[in-house]
Amino acid sequence: MRKTAQRLLTEYGLAAVVVYFAIFFAVLFGAWAAIGAGWKPTGALANVGAFTAAYLFTKVTQPVRIAATVVLAPLAAKLWERITGRRPGAIAAAPTTDEPRA
C-alpha cells in the first residue's frame, strides 16, 4: 500500500492529496451527520461520542477510500491540467532506504 501511495504522490502530486482528504472529510462528516440524524444525543459528552463513532466508521472504510483515491486521482489531475493548463505539482516521496539518518 505504501508503494501505491508513493506512486500516486509522484505521478499526480497535490491532486492525489486533495482527492484523498476530500473523500476522508466527506465520509467523516457524512457519518457524523447520519449518526446525529438517527440518534439524538444529549449534552456535550454525547456529541463527542457521536463524532468518535463517525471517526471509527471512517477508519473502517479506509481501504475503500484508498481504492477510490487510486481511481479518482488521475481524473482529478487531468481536470486540474485542463483547467489550469499545467500539471499538479509532484510531492517528493519519502526515502525508501532503511538506512539510519545522520
Side-chain angles (χ1 to χ4, degrees):
M1 189 169 337
R2 183 172 294 208
K3 288 183 181 185
T4 301
Q6 287 177 347
R7 183 185 61 80
L8 278 174
L9 289 176
T10 302
E11 194 167 340
Y12 302 111
L14 188 58
V17 174
V18 170
V19 167
Y20 177 80
F21 281 113
I23 294 170
F24 174 83
F25 286 116
V27 170
L28 178 64
F29 291 120
W32 191 23
I35 291 169
W39 171 47
K40 300 296 180 191
T42 57
L45 199 53
N47 285 331
V48 171
F51 187 79
T52 302
Y55 180 76
L56 290 174
F57 175 78
T58 303
K59 289 305 286 183
V60 168
T61 61
Q62 186 170 6
V64 176
R65 289 184 292 112
I66 291 172
T69 301
V70 169
V71 171
L72 295 175
L75 300 173
K78 287 179 186 178
L79 181 64
W80 176 267
E81 189 174 355
R82 184 179 296 168
I83 291 171
T84 64
R86 56 190 170 98
R87 292 182 52 95
I91 298 174
T96 57
T97 62
D98 293 332
E99 297 176 12
R101 296 182 190 176

